[in-house]
């Protein structure tokens, strides 16, 4: 019997991945760049146990058993078993997989990247796989390859039709830009949405603007972003982040039928960010949105308290004491400066447009947990120990 | 003393004008195509009086006196006086202008096109100008040139840097496609918005996608649209209308800072239109949006009652008897078909998301009103007779 447990981070792209040139191999139409978020606040945790006693491969996600015959899951299992460097017959043993997020699924945060990164990292440990495994993570969920390492990460689209060079590489480690902070603004929203996989497919099939973006805009922008990160040029970083998020959503809007991920609350936050930057006469916050209404803000540590004071003023939290509104790194609460409020001059929103906010930082890639108590499967039966109580 | 009164139509573009290549001359970056709406339901009315007694040029808009020294207004006055074909000295007389819309300004319908078309048409009558005056209307408000004639109209961008060939031409008269109906869905919305003039300017300065759209997408699309109109091919017409509206809003989203004109209600209507078409297994409705949240639907007469039954079911009117919800051509109210409702299967919205709907058709260009009682200025003093009670 063998058991490993791993945690892996969420990543939030600043140059967006939107569109595949190969649906089966999950090869993108352009490079993308993301920051890996600190696993202390947002992570997936996966335990994998292999045993000669197990009759079949099984998987539990967030407390519920799921079918193991998911194509993307099988891509990862097959890919990692192929690379196994073990001398015994463990390769033939069936495995049980149990995976959970330390954040509510309902948050609408892309959990598949962290989930697949965690699965692949755990399998690598189990099967003693060495070398670059970001391609295997990619075969589970494209953006998962960027969660295989910490800091700022670039997923190079590559040129090989088979995808051998479509790999994630670290640009800088988390310690390169320790002042960088991330605020995930979780928006209340009950709409059904088009999955990012389906949205991308539709965009590739119908949006002419996507083609132009992928071929002419992103190549230059990704290089500029790479440089802005190396030079810790926040204003450049922020402008590129904002523009690229908006362009991804422009492509979604140009899709037939169109995909709308951002909603009125997202637009209100976007408007607030621009008004705040304009009032400050400096780009102090960058925002970015993925396939949902949440808005992620990149901001330097020194500006967090000020921005939060403005955010709380215009978009006040609900008077609901049952929900922990501020999660993650504690924020010093200050009063908003009157001159900023006057310059921003927007309409105050009704309380409760945001569910909560998570204050985090750039962090490391996947980690192995060696403590017995960290496992999600009991070592006797190989069944889930508990269903996680979501924070 | 001389007095003329004129009415002029609103037009709703199906291939959008978004972006100027010359801000001063109001020359567009691409051709655009629109339908002219029946003045019976939506129009501007303008009375112009010239008198040797008047001390200065004056203008009243919707009951309020405005400055005559508006640049765009002066473009039109100067342009038409230059072309005057009158032998007496009336050209030197000062004029009083009074203009009103027969629809509430608060409806958020682009009123400047109808307003400038009406002004120029009235000036043409007053000064006996002959020949193409769409270029003068264009110098007031770009899209006004398309309101200078009825039916379906194409504004050719032209190539002369001076704009001599940037003119509107009729594609077909209203009688060519009498089955075509238009539903203007007026959305309740209180947000401040970026004016279309400012939005376009910002797009030209910052959106790379706009450049691609103007150079590579619209030229082909405008020709296809022209052909679809000539052939009365509704499905083709509808698909192009939808795609071009969405692409204009994609460009707005790609602008820095982004311009958001559509809101959650617009997106709900868009989603309903696609779901309805999909359930009907045929493109029965086309939608298009301009620089605001309203949604204009193009639909064939035979499908109006069915679509309205679906619209009323999913987006019910408010229980407010003080507002006339259905304006324009009377609509036969029928019950929604159960099988359509089941196929569409969307969430029912709370009542009141729409302020009202206007059911209209494609109509004629500007008309002169010769009846004394149609004038908006009294013929003695040349002052506004009344402030219009908005319908």
């Amino acid at each position: 019997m063998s058991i490993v447990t791993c945690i892996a981070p969420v990543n939030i792209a600043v140059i967006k991945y939107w569109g595949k040139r190969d649906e089966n191999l999950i090869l993108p139409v352009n490079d993308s760049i993301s920051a890996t978020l600190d696993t202390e606040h947002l992570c997936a945790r996966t335990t994998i146990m292999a045993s000669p006693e197990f009759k079949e491969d099984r998987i539990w996600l967030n407390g519920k058993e799921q079918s193991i015959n998911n194509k993307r899951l099988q891509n990862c299992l097959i890919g990692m078993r192929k690379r196994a460097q073990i001398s015994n017959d463990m390769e033939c043993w069936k495995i049980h997989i149990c995976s959970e997020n330390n954040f509510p699924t309902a948050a609408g945060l892309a959990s598949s990247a962290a989930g697949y990164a965690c699965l692949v990292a755990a399998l690598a440990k189990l099967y003693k796989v060495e070398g670059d495994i970001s391609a295997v993570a990619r075969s589970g969920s494209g953006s998962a390859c960027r969660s295989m390492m910490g800091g700022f990460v670039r997923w190079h689209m590559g040129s090989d039709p088979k995808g051998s060079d479509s790999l994630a590489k670290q640009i800088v480690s988390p310690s390169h830009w320790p002042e960088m902070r991330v605020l995930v603004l979780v928006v209340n929203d009950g709409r059904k949405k088009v999955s990012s996989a389906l949205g991308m497919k539709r965009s590739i099939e119908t949006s002419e603007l996507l083609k132009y973006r992928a071929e002419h805009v992103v190549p230059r922008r990704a290089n500029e972003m790479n440089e802005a990160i190396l030079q810790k040029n926040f204003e450049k970083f922020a402008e590129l982040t904002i523009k690229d998020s908006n362009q991804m959503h422009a492509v979604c809007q140009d899709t037939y039928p169109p995909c709308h991920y951002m909603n009125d609350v997202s637009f209100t936050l976007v408007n607030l960010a621009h008004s705040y930057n304009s009032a400050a006469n400096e780009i102090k916050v960058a925002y970015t949105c993925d396939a949902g209404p949440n808005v992620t803000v990149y901001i330097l540590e020194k500006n967090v308290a000020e921005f939060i004071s403005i955010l709380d003023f215009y978009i006040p939290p609900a008077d609901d004491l049952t929900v922990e509104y501020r999660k993650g790194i504690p924020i010093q609460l200050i009063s908003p400066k009157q001159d900023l409020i006057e310059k921003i001059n927007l309409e105050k929103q009704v309380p409760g447009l945001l569910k909560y906010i998570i204050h985090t930082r750039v962090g490391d890639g996947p980690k192995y947990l060696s403590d017995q108590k960290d496992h999600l499967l009991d070592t006797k039966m190989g069944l889930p120990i508990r269903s996680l109580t979501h924070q």
Side-chain angles (χ1 to χ4, degrees), chain A:
Chain A
M1 186 282 289
S2 185
I3 188 165
V4 297
T5 293
C6 185
I7 56 171
V10 165
N11 72 74
I12 301 283
V14 292
I15 297 293
K16 298 295 189 189
Y17 157 48
W18 195 258
K20 301 181 182 72
R21 65 180 198 274
D22 188 310
E23 280 280 331
N24 282 317
L25 297 174
I26 311 192
L27 300 176
V29 290
N30 55 248
D31 285 18
S32 54
I33 295 178
S34 57
T36 296
L37 304 190
D38 194 336
T39 50
E40 190 179 335
H41 308 118
L42 293 164
C43 72
R45 182 193 299 199
T46 301
T47 296
I48 304 185
M49 187 173 155
S51 163
E53 313 274 298
F54 292 162
K55 300 274 187 302
E56 51 182 357
D57 292 336
R58 294 175 73 181
I59 185 166
W60 290 263
L61 289 182
N62 292 312
K64 276 194 189 163
E65 183 157 16
Q66 307 283 333
S67 166
I68 196 84
N69 291 316
N70 172 306
K71 184 172 169 272
R72 288 160 163 245
L73 181 59
Q74 287 297 326
N75 285 347
C76 295
L77 288 182
I78 294 165
M80 292 306 282
R81 279 171 169 156
K82 228 188 263 174
R83 292 164 199 232
Q85 296 289 328
I86 42 176
S87 45
N88 60 18
D89 58 355
M90 197 184 79
E91 205 184 320
C92 305
W93 296 354
K94 298 295 180 190
I95 59 173
H96 283 188
I97 305 166
C98 185
S99 188
E100 289 174 346
N101 300 322
N102 74 343
F103 53 91
T105 311
L109 293 160
S111 51
S112 66
Y116 277 105
C118 208
L119 172 75
V120 169
L123 288 168
K125 180 80 170 174
L126 186 75
Y127 295 138
K128 301 189 168 52
V129 177
E130 302 210 327
D132 192 319
I133 49 173
S134 75
V136 183
R138 195 199 75 222
S139 74
S141 171
S143 57
C145 69
R146 296 189 314 242
S147 277
M148 294 307 290
M149 49 213 86
F152 287 88
V153 179
R154 180 167 182 167
W155 174 11
H156 297 264
M157 63 177 288
S159 56
D160 176 12
K162 297 240 168 90
S164 64
D165 54 356
S166 188
L167 302 171
K169 308 269 184 202
Q170 188 178 66
I171 299 171
V172 291
S173 75
S175 63
H176 170 74
W177 204 347
E179 303 87 355
M180 185 66 88
R181 289 290 176 274
V182 181
L183 293 162
V184 184
L185 310 179
V186 179
V187 169
N188 268 316
D189 187 64
R191 298 174 308 161
K192 279 188 278 184
K193 66 177 186 86
V194 174
S195 76
S196 60
L198 179 57
M200 275 186 209
K201 189 161 180 286
R202 230 195 246 171
S203 292
I204 279 282
E205 287 164 359
T206 64
S207 170
E208 284 184 67
L209 300 186
L210 172 56
K211 210 171 128 57
Y212 183 78
R213 159 178 166 72
E215 289 173 12
H216 299 280
V217 182
V218 181
R220 186 194 66 235
R221 214 174 249 178
N223 289 337
E224 286 177 8
M225 177 61 88
N226 205 103
E227 198 56 25
I229 291 167
L230 288 173
Q231 296 182 351
K232 297 173 60 174
N233 180 341
F234 184 82
E235 291 220 36
K236 188 71 189 163
F237 168 86
E239 191 187 316
L240 291 168
T241 296
I242 291 171
K243 287 185 172 173
D244 206 65
S245 172
N246 285 331
Q247 190 167 80
M248 175 194 127
H249 292 279
V251 165
C252 293
Q253 170 67 29
D254 186 51
T255 295
Y256 186 86
C259 300
H260 304 117
Y261 294 114
M262 297 173 75
N263 68 10
D264 284 352
V265 179
S266 322
F267 294 147
T268 300
L269 289 164
V270 161
N271 201 13
L272 178 63
H274 283 286
S275 300
Y276 171 65
N277 286 339
S278 172
N281 215 8
E282 175 189 343
I283 308 187
K284 284 187 169 179
V285 295
Y287 61 83
T288 187
C289 298
D290 291 298
N294 293 341
V295 176
T296 298
V297 165
Y298 283 90
I299 183 170
L300 295 178
E301 182 181 14
K302 63 180 178 186
N303 296 320
V304 169
E306 183 182 83
F307 176 67
I308 290 291
S309 75
I310 297 297
L311 180 71
D312 283 353
F313 180 84
Y314 283 108
I315 304 177
D319 288 330
D320 181 353
L321 298 174
T322 63
V323 174
E324 187 198 2
Y325 185 72
R326 291 166 218 285
K327 300 174 192 282
I329 306 170
I331 298 166
Q332 189 203 351
L333 294 182
I334 60 171
S335 295
K337 284 185 210 145
Q338 200 51 41
D339 68 317
L340 265 180
I341 295 290
E342 278 165 22
K343 279 185 195 156
I344 291 171
N345 191 27
L346 292 176
E347 201 184 326
K348 264 186 89 158
Q349 302 293 312
V350 294
L353 297 187
L354 293 178
K355 227 181 261 176
Y356 52 81
I357 63 184
I358 306 166
H359 179 208
T360 186
R361 58 169 78 81
V362 181
D364 294 316
K367 283 191 190 82
Y368 302 99
L369 304 181
S370 50
D371 197 305
Q372 187 70 16
K373 72 172 172 29
D374 291 326
H375 297 320
L376 298 173
L377 294 167
D378 80 88
T379 48
K380 280 183 191 143
M381 304 292 289
L383 293 175
I385 292 172
R386 61 196 164 99
S387 64
L388 195 83
T389 43
H390 292 302
Q391 296 172 337

